[in-house]
Amino acid sequence: MHDAIMACFGDNGLHNMGLSKSNRINQNIAASIYQTKIAGHCRLVTITWSKNVMMGHCLQVNVDDPSFHITCKVEMRPWRFWMKQGWKSFATEGHKVEIHWDLSAAKYAIGPEPQEGYYVAMVCDKEVVLLLGDMSNEALKKSKAIPSNIEATLLSRREYLLGKKLFTTKAQIGDGGRMHELMIEFQTASDGEPRLCIRVDRKIAVQVKRLMWKFRGNQTILVDGVQVEVFWDVHNWLFSCTGEAHAIFMFQTCLANEKPWLKDITACRSIKEWKAPCTSTDKEPAGFALVLYASKTP
């Protein structure tokens, strides 16, 4: 379970999704990890959306557990209309697990994840343990299942963004609440010094001057009255010689007032070295982490 959570922080997580460095630079990726209850046990489910200019959209569902591993991959290529809806079933420990999806009318914005007109449902023993999208009634009807008494919890989300100097996305900071627009801007001041500006709903939340000296750091902000710790690591933007270098940004919430993980991450040389706060699916989530990988395009 620890490895599944750790997959959100670092290149290894993207590699596990079957994406080489050359592929990552050409597509947007968004992956969310949920804590669900399947077959009487807490499981980690990763929903990965990707978008490639040549191959179209792709959905991948992974269920990770020491006793079994489920992978369901749907490639929505333009000429494969029949793949945009369907279902797959698996068996584990005498329980039947089904994954249903309908993306035939899905509408997308700038990212790889659809915004409306779709559903993705995971069913175990005729109970919907995970339901995504705005077509819940259709999902329940198609799967012939009922909602589970225990809702899935969003633990973390990672996105791979492409841009020149401006990187934007929309995200739900934590499990529940409204969507927020996040903007990361790499600026150059009049004196030639690089600067970093992070906006939430177009309002400046973090502004870092003298970035050559403060290429790694953290700052606490408020989003909807909730404390969010923002971390940045732009070392590769400033000092890397490779064209595939990316910066990392993380937005971390904590359910408790205390932040025992804060000391650990600030002691790391990079965000990628940090061990996530929630290391077991049998415990209450320690908070929510949004990780953004930002790569500059020519």
Side-chain angles (χ1 to χ4, degrees), residues 109-179:
I110 58 174
E113 185 175 5
Q115 301 299 305
E116 60 179 313
Y118 78 102
Y119 70 77
V120 178
M122 178 171 288
V123 178
C124 180
D125 297 335
K126 295 300 179 180
E127 282 192 350
V128 179
V129 297
L130 177 62
L131 179 57
L132 305 177
D134 60 339
M135 298 171 58
S136 57
N137 291 334
E138 289 83 349
L140 295 174
K141 182 179 179 181
K142 193 70 175 181
S143 63
K144 299 179 181 179
I146 61 174
S148 174
N149 293 327
I150 303 176
E151 292 187 2
T153 302
L154 179 61
L155 297 180
S156 64
R157 178 179 172 86
R158 63 181 180 270
E159 293 187 38
Y160 203 90
L161 306 177
L162 305 176
K164 294 183 180 293
K165 293 186 177 181
L166 183 64
F167 305 84
T168 62
T169 186
K170 289 186 176 181
Q172 188 176 314
I173 310 288
D175 189 39
R178 64 187 182 92
M179 297 291 289

Side-chain angles (χ1 to χ4, degrees), residues 100-117:
H100 298 258
W101 69 89
D102 188 346
L103 303 157
S104 56
K107 296 181 180 179
Y108 299 84
I110 58 174
E113 185 175 5
Q115 301 299 305
E116 60 179 313

Side-chain angles (χ1 to χ4, degrees), residues 38-58:
I38 301 175
H41 300 282
C42 288
R43 317 282 191 183
L44 296 180
V45 178
T46 303
I47 307 292
T48 303
W49 303 90
S50 59
K51 178 185 177 183
N52 186 288
V53 176
M54 298 296 295
M55 305 305 293
H57 291 83
C58 179

Side-chain angles (χ1 to χ4, degrees), residues 133-243:
D134 60 339
M135 298 171 58
S136 57
N137 291 334
E138 289 83 349
L140 295 174
K141 182 179 179 181
K142 193 70 175 181
S143 63
K144 299 179 181 179
I146 61 174
S148 174
N149 293 327
I150 303 176
E151 292 187 2
T153 302
L154 179 61
L155 297 180
S156 64
R157 178 179 172 86
R158 63 181 180 270
E159 293 187 38
Y160 203 90
L161 306 177
L162 305 176
K164 294 183 180 293
K165 293 186 177 181
L166 183 64
F167 305 84
T168 62
T169 186
K170 289 186 176 181
Q172 188 176 314
I173 310 288
D175 189 39
R178 64 187 182 92
M179 297 291 289
H180 295 276
E181 182 183 33
L182 305 178
M183 300 177 64
I184 298 171
E185 186 175 4
F186 184 71
Q187 306 170 336
T188 302
S190 56
D191 57 3
E193 286 290 324
R195 293 182 179 181
L196 178 67
C197 183
I198 301 175
R199 302 174 188 266
V200 179
D201 297 329
R202 299 188 178 272
K203 296 180 180 179
I204 295 178
V206 177
Q207 192 169 31
V208 185
K209 301 179 181 179
R210 301 183 64 191
L211 194 59
M212 297 293 289
W213 299 95
K214 300 178 182 179
F215 52 85
R216 293 190 184 108
N218 64 286
Q219 182 175 321
T220 303
I221 65 173
L222 285 177
V223 179
D224 292 339
V226 177
Q227 284 192 349
V228 178
E229 204 74 26
V230 181
F231 298 86
W232 64 89
D233 184 344
V234 298
H235 176 274
N236 290 346
W237 273 0
L238 300 172
F239 305 110
S240 178
C241 297
T242 64

